[in-house]
Amino acid sequence: MTNSSDPGAAGKPASNFLRHIVERDLAEGTYAQRHFAGSPGDAAHHAAGPLDAAKIRTRFPPEPNGYLHIGHAKSITLNFGLAAEYGGVCHMRFDDTNPEKEEQEYVDSILDAVQWLGFDWHANGVDHLYYASNYFDFMYRAAEALIAAGHAYVDEQSPDEMRANRGDFNTPGTNSPYRSRTPAENLVRFREMRDGKLADGAAVLRAKIDMASPNINMRDPALYRIKRATHHNTGDTWCIYPMYTYAHPIEDALEQVTHSICTLEFEDQRPFYDWLLDTLAALGLLAQPRPHQYEFARLNVTYVITSKRKLKALVDEKIVDGWDDPRMPTIVGLRRRGYTPEAIRLMCERAGTSKAGGWTDYGALDAALRDDLEGKAARAMAVIDPVKLKLTNWAEVFGSETHREPCHAPAHPHLPELGTRSFGLGPEVWIERDDFAEVPPKGFFRLFLGNKVRLKYGCVIECTGCEKDANGTISAVTATVVPDTKSGTPGADAVKVKGTITWVGVHDALRAELRIYDRLFTDPQPDAGGKDFKASLNPNSKRVMTGYLEPSLANAKPDDKFQFERHGYFVADRIDHAAGAPVLSRIASLKDTWAK
Ligand code: ATP
Ligand code: MG
């Protein structure tokens, strides 16, 4: 079920069919004679420019109608990654041709997400940030050229008639009665569409291709529709707007994109993509060689939904705490959760790029996070579900109740440059509630009556029992210190123990809010096959605990990441964390618990 192709041992990315295509084109010099004028434009514009210094051009073309999610991260890493690998450039393009849904808020958040993931659309001093709506003039000109050449006509059938006459998989379509209009008639009528003389929906401009084509997308697809809507960029200049399938190939061609990479659902559109660009290139409007479209299987991740509509429902119905809720698969959510750009990119690379599709286990993201943070994140001790441990012979062993035994540990076992953490052991420490058992299960090596364990970096202690409150809940665990067993002192190992537990001194602990996140859904494919994703919400996807941290965390800043020994990777919340009032979230545990 998992589709993974690990990068090789040398860290060299695994090959895939897209890399093969790019390498073939480079070897054959397919695009070697291409000119690029430094900005998007038609054939004449580019012909006047120099040979393109970029070996290939790709693009990431989101519609600014929502927040980016983990699936988009795949497309971003693929497009920007291929360009970087092969001496090319990747354009950041907003596909904002639909006037109804776009908002500046989304534009800003998309740019921010792409940059945060580590990619840049500036290359050789040029800012390759483009808006498809800036191409409306050219798209209109191209439409008139198609009409003049007899390749397009204005159809005034009703939408129902059009649907009925399109035919279906088994039935060829029927020509529209308007199909035989002359170019001159079509031109007049199309200009009337543009000039607002026709009502919304009263006519469409259609390509004149083949109503009997076995590919329904080739049965005279619509190019332009009438829609009185104010566009965020062009205002009320237009009351006709290009269809996505017409606009997208033109956007690619104006930008001199070489490899236009999209997800598989566009495969059936490729013949029209080719038809349109070949036709416009033959008319002299677009430069050659023209772009080519290649499709790959979208990234699906278990326990995750990526439909914008469904994600919006989670936010609107307050099932999560917003678009950047750490359980959300949005880039802002993943970022707040503490996943690093490196981990997300590594996961996307390991998920592979193919036409076959499949599901990537959510655990792959956690594995990538561990691989990234293992070698970087400072270690620390934290107690998440605390109970007090009282060391009842403290004054006897150390001479006074107020004595604090200094303890030290490396911030990272392999990075001495990160320095040393210091904290104190005293007569009372916080330990994990489940590190004590009144009745130890088989194989339990931690605290139970008569057993000895080591307080990590501290002393060996022997458990003497526990105290309970009026309800019978354990309110404290008691133990005695075994003298002369302090870690790092001679003779420390004279007393052998099977268990070591983590702890934080009551006197120097930092009280913290700890947010423990788990998968948002209990079903690995929450919305597959039309399932109601709200039926499988995990009621325990967020737990908020009050825990204790060792004092080295006092200087933690928002977004700082740590490995809490035994517990996993945590991040200081980028919104709620403050010095003096720490708030940390668990990014991932130390071991994979997803696949179970
Ligand atoms: P969704 O329908 O999932 O909300 P979308 O396709 O409508 O996404 P766009 O803004 O059009 O969103 O997407 C921008 C680019 O990201 C497109 O090229 C699209 O194919 C790609 N993309 C979207 N989802 C995925 C995915 N799950 N895996 C790979 N690429 C994706
Ligand atoms: Mg889309």
Side-chain angles (χ1 to χ4, degrees):
M1 151 156 160
T2 304
N3 89 62
S4 75
S5 54
D6 248 312
K12 193 174 170 297
S15 201
N16 61 49
F17 80 102
L18 289 174
R19 289 191 171 110
H20 286 302
I21 288 168
V22 171
E23 286 164 15
R24 177 206 65 197
D25 285 336
L26 292 177
E28 294 176 0
T30 313
Y31 293 101
Q33 297 308 312
R34 224 167 22 103
H35 289 240
F36 183 73
S39 58
D42 62 11
H45 175 75
H46 287 301
L51 278 180
D52 193 353
K55 294 212 165 65
I56 61 168
R57 286 185 187 269
T58 56
R59 84 285 174 268
F60 173 61
E63 231 181 297
N65 64 353
Y67 286 88
L68 297 186
H69 54 63
I70 193 162
H72 294 114
K74 172 71 201 172
S75 178
I76 293 167
T77 52
L78 186 57
N79 281 296
F80 281 93
L82 279 176
E85 249 175 82
Y86 292 104
V89 170
C90 181
H91 297 185
M92 176 71 227
R93 179 205 304 154
F94 286 104
D95 212 322
D96 60 349
T97 52
N98 183 346
E100 284 149 327
K101 294 188 292 187
E102 286 119 19
E103 282 178 39
Q104 189 61 37
E105 176 195 352
Y106 298 131
V107 169
D108 295 340
S109 88
I110 289 169
L111 292 177
D112 195 49
V114 172
Q115 278 173 320
W116 178 74
L117 280 171
F119 298 105
D120 190 2
W121 46 87
H122 297 83
N124 316 316
V126 181
D127 187 6
H128 294 286
L129 169 61
Y130 301 120
Y131 292 83
S133 57
N134 287 336
Y135 311 145
F136 280 160
D137 286 338
F138 178 87
M139 289 173 188
Y140 180 83
R141 174 155 73 95
E144 286 209 349
L146 291 174
I147 292 170
H151 294 307
Y153 63 99
V154 174
D155 193 353
E156 293 176 57
Q157 295 182 100
S158 71
D160 283 342
E161 287 168 326
M162 246 179 264
R163 209 169 301 121
N165 288 337
R166 190 170 293 129
D168 57 29
F169 191 70
N170 302 306
T171 327
T174 310
N175 284 352
S176 163
Y178 298 92
R179 202 176 196 264
S180 50
R181 280 176 156 169
T182 65
E185 283 174 296
N186 280 313
L187 209 50
V188 169
R189 208 60 181 144
F190 186 51
R191 288 177 181 167
E192 285 172 354
M193 280 172 65
R194 177 198 63 188
D195 296 338
K197 305 251 165 66
L198 280 80
D200 284 12
V204 292
L205 183 71
R206 295 178 76 172
K208 192 171 180 176
I209 307 178
D210 178 7
M211 288 304 291
S213 171
N215 182 339
I216 294 179
N217 297 299
M218 295 297 274
R219 295 183 188 172
D220 293 7
L223 309 180
Y224 264 94
R225 62 188 171 132
I226 308 172
K227 180 84 211 171
R228 284 167 179 77
T230 304
H231 189 278
H232 76 103
N233 180 18
T234 55
D236 293 321
T237 307
W238 298 95
C239 67
I240 56 171
Y241 287 96
M243 306 301 288
Y244 177 84
T245 45
Y246 173 71
H248 199 90
I250 292 179
E251 295 158 23
D252 287 342
L254 291 173
E255 293 178 21
Q256 289 283 61
V257 162
T258 55
H259 300 81
S260 176
I261 297 161
C262 61
T263 42
L264 274 178
E265 63 271 26
F266 293 100
E267 195 168 23
D268 290 345
Q269 294 287 352
R270 187 170 5 110
F272 176 69
Y273 185 104
D274 293 341
W275 177 91
L276 180 65
L277 295 188
D278 284 338
T279 305
L280 291 174
L283 292 172
L285 269 76
L286 291 174
Q288 282 177 308
R290 62 163 176 89
H292 282 265
Q293 174 182 305
Y294 303 96
E295 311 86 17
F296 71 103
R298 59 199 295 119
L299 176 71
N300 295 305
V301 181
T302 58
Y303 299 103
V304 158
I305 57 174
T306 53
S307 150
K308 281 173 196 158
R309 182 177 55 79
K310 293 172 190 168
L311 292 174
K312 189 166 185 302
L314 293 175
V315 174
D316 290 347
E317 294 171 33
K318 303 209 175 353
I319 293 167
V320 296
D321 301 329
W323 286 101
D324 68 347
D325 184 295
R327 292 163 292 180
M328 288 285 272
T330 50
I331 305 293
V332 283
L334 295 168
R335 178 179 185 178
R336 187 161 179 198
R337 175 68 168 267
Y339 289 108
T340 58
E342 291 83 355
I344 295 171
R345 296 198 309 254
L346 187 59
M347 188 279 266
C348 288
E349 176 61 33
R350 287 175 176 171
T353 304
S354 74
K355 280 190 170 283
W359 286 74
T360 293
D361 199 278
Y362 189 95
L365 182 57
D366 284 349
L369 190 272
R370 289 184 203 106
D371 288 347
D372 180 34
L373 289 190
E374 163 61 29
K376 292 184 194 166
R379 283 15 177 194
M381 288 200 289
V383 176
I384 294 175
D385 184 13
V387 68
K388 200 174 271 181
L389 170 72
K390 296 181 177 172
L391 300 173
T392 53
N393 64 340
W394 186 263
E396 255 167 74
V397 174
F398 292 106
S400 111
E401 201 62 25
T402 55
H403 173 80
R404 298 293 176 257
E405 188 61 15
C407 301
H408 306 285
H412 190 285
H414 310 301
L415 298 176
E417 63 272 26
L418 291 189
T420 301
R421 304 136 55 192
S422 300
F423 39 89
L425 182 57
E428 291 190 333
V429 301
W430 297 112
I431 61 168
E432 292 297 339
R433 187 165 282 278
D434 67 4
D435 278 346
F436 170 75
E438 279 191 282
V439 183
K442 200 164 173 288
F444 186 82
F445 296 122
R446 289 165 285 159
L447 288 170
F448 56 90
L449 183 63
N451 195 40
K452 294 192 183 77
V453 301
R454 176 173 295 284
L455 294 176
K456 196 163 189 193
Y457 311 114
C459 303
V460 173
I461 59 168
E462 178 172 346
C463 183
T464 55
C466 67
E467 297 171 1
K468 291 184 180 177
D469 65 16
N471 302 322
T473 307
I474 294 170
S475 53
V477 177
T478 56
T480 52
V481 176
V482 180
D484 303 323
T485 54
K486 168 86 180 297
S487 284
T489 60
D493 295 330
V495 182
K496 295 285 177 217
V497 292
K498 282 191 173 166
T500 297
I501 65 171
T502 44
W503 56 279
V504 180
V506 167
H507 67 280
D508 64 6
L510 305 171
R511 197 179 151 92
E513 179 177 325
L514 298 174
R515 299 173 180 171
I516 309 299
Y517 292 107
D518 197 353
R519 62 191 85 175
L520 190 51
F521 299 100
T522 54
D523 186 329
Q525 299 181 9
D527 61 349
K531 260 182 288 186
D532 174 13
F533 59 98
K534 284 183 231 161
S536 62
L537 283 167
N538 174 5
N540 297 316
S541 61
K542 177 183 181 181
R543 286 182 297 140
V544 179
M545 318 283 285
T546 299
Y548 293 96
L549 315 175
E550 64 168 59
S552 70
L553 269 284
N555 298 321
K557 292 183 295 301
D559 279 331
D560 281 355
K561 296 166 188 76
F562 303 90
Q563 187 196 98
F564 288 166
E565 300 192 34
R566 296 169 72 206
H567 289 305
Y569 292 98
F570 279 70
V571 62
D573 189 77
R574 53 196 321 262
I575 309 291
D576 298 332
H577 174 87
V583 179
L584 288 96
S585 300
R586 188 174 70 187
I587 318 170
S589 56
L590 290 177
K591 288 205 196 83
D592 184 16
T593 51
W594 286 90
K596 281 186 207 141

